């Protein structure tokens, strides 16, 4: 018999959690690529710095954002949209790094969306106290594409609801390296991240970084 050498280091939690029909949480999926992802994030943030955007209603968002890929999600007083250029510089967003694309495609495939090829990656930076209220991702052209969402750094709570804002919400803890994917019947489900608790992550520091991959154009 071959001894099970890895039994004692196996994660106590299942590595794949079905959140809803079409929605899965892949625990630790991004860990093998963490160094590439963090190095690439530094390069992106140097070219297109994180900024606190303004909502159409005039509120400054507590989450700081930047983008990479062919298009980036932006908001200002005129509304939410995808823009091929960074409005701060007028230049195209930084290219999507190969490690980002690889992770997004692998995670989407594992979740049942093998044809997903993202053209946009919104990068959210949460510092302690930042939050993202319950919303739907609906500025994308084709809802056949799932959303792939990668968590790095400090842990957060992910609220995942239903098609109506008032539908019951389930909470999941999101840790460094976790990847959530929602599409198909749950593509337009409400979701949000309540206030980030203070802390320091050994690799990322006093923040949480979130990458969300979309098919935007
Ligand atoms: C988002 O909804 O764009 C981000 C979700 C997250 O930060 O986990
Ligand atoms: Fe979202």
């Amino acid at each position: 018999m071959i001894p099970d050498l890895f039994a004692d280091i196996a994660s106590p939690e299942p590595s794949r959690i079905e959140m809803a029909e079409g929605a899965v949480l892949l625990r630790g999926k991004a860990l093998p690529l963490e160094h590439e992802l963090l190095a690439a994030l530094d390069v992106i943030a140097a070219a297109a710095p994180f900024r606190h955007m303004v909502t159409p209603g005039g509120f400054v968002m507590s989450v700081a954002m930047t983008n990479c890929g062919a298009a980036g999600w932006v908001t200002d007083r005129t509304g939410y949209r995808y823009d091929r250029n960074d409005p701060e510089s007028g230049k195209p967003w930084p290219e999507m790094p190969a490690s980002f694309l690889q992770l997004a495609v692998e995670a989407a495939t594992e979740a049942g969306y093998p044809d997903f090829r993202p053209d946009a990656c919104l990068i959210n930076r949460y510092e302690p106290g930042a939050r993202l209220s319950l919303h739907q991702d609906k500025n994308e052209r084709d809802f056949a594409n799932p959303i792939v969402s990668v968590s790095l750094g400090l842990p957060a709570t992910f609220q995942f609801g239903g098609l109506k804002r008032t539908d019951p919400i389930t909470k999941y803890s999101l840790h460094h390296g976790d990847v959530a994917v929602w599409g198909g019947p749950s593509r337009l489900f409400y979701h949000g991240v309540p206030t980030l608790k203070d802390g320091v992550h050994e690799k990322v520091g006093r923040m949480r970084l979130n990458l969300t991959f979309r098919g935007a154009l």
Side-chain angles (χ1 to χ4, degrees):
M1 197 189 105
I2 302 164
D4 185 358
L5 294 172
F6 300 104
D8 56 338
I9 58 164
S11 143
E13 255 198 292
S15 58
R16 179 192 175 96
I17 295 158
E18 309 287 332
M19 299 192 291
E21 205 188 329
V24 296
L25 174 52
L26 305 168
R27 294 269 184 222
K29 174 71 191 163
L31 287 177
L33 283 165
E34 64 176 338
H35 298 291
E36 284 98 318
L37 299 174
L38 291 171
L41 277 165
D42 283 342
V43 175
I44 292 165
F50 284 100
R51 79 289 307 262
H52 293 272
M53 298 187 208
V54 177
T55 67
F59 294 100
V60 177
M61 298 186 77
S62 61
V63 176
M65 298 174 170
T66 186
N67 290 276
C68 66
W73 185 87
V74 294
T75 173
D76 59 22
R77 289 307 299 250
T78 68
Y80 306 120
R81 66 180 183 279
Y82 281 93
D83 201 318
R84 288 178 181 275
N85 296 321
D86 177 350
E88 293 288 315
S89 66
K91 292 190 296 192
W93 297 102
E95 247 181 75
M96 196 180 299
S99 56
F100 281 34
L101 197 60
Q102 181 192 336
L103 176 59
V105 170
E106 273 186 24
T109 302
E110 251 177 69
Y113 307 99
D115 299 328
F116 182 49
R117 296 292 176 273
D119 55 20
C121 176
L122 170 65
I123 304 163
N124 294 312
R125 185 187 70 195
Y126 298 74
E127 289 176 308
R131 60 190 290 272
L132 196 61
S133 53
L134 218 54
H135 66 278
Q136 295 169 294
D137 291 356
K138 57 178 183 188
N139 302 128
E140 299 73 29
R141 198 180 48 80
D142 184 358
F143 298 144
N145 290 307
I147 301 286
V148 174
S149 171
V150 179
S151 291
L152 295 168
L154 288 177
T157 300
F158 185 55
Q159 303 167 314
F160 198 63
L163 282 175
K164 295 197 300 281
R165 188 181 285 278
T166 50
D167 283 341
I169 278 164
T170 309
K171 292 177 182 174
Y172 300 90
S173 62
L174 294 181
H175 295 273
H176 181 72
D178 289 350
V179 181
V181 182
W182 60 97
S186 52
R187 172 62 181 75
L188 290 173
F189 277 18
Y190 275 89
H191 57 280
V193 177
T195 310
L196 194 83
K197 289 206 184 78
D198 202 359
V200 178
H201 185 272
E202 56 164 345
K203 303 227 170 76
V204 181
R206 199 173 173 214
M207 67 182 81
R208 169 175 185 261
L209 296 168
N210 166 258
L211 319 178
T212 47
F213 295 92
R214 295 108 188 271
L217 300 176

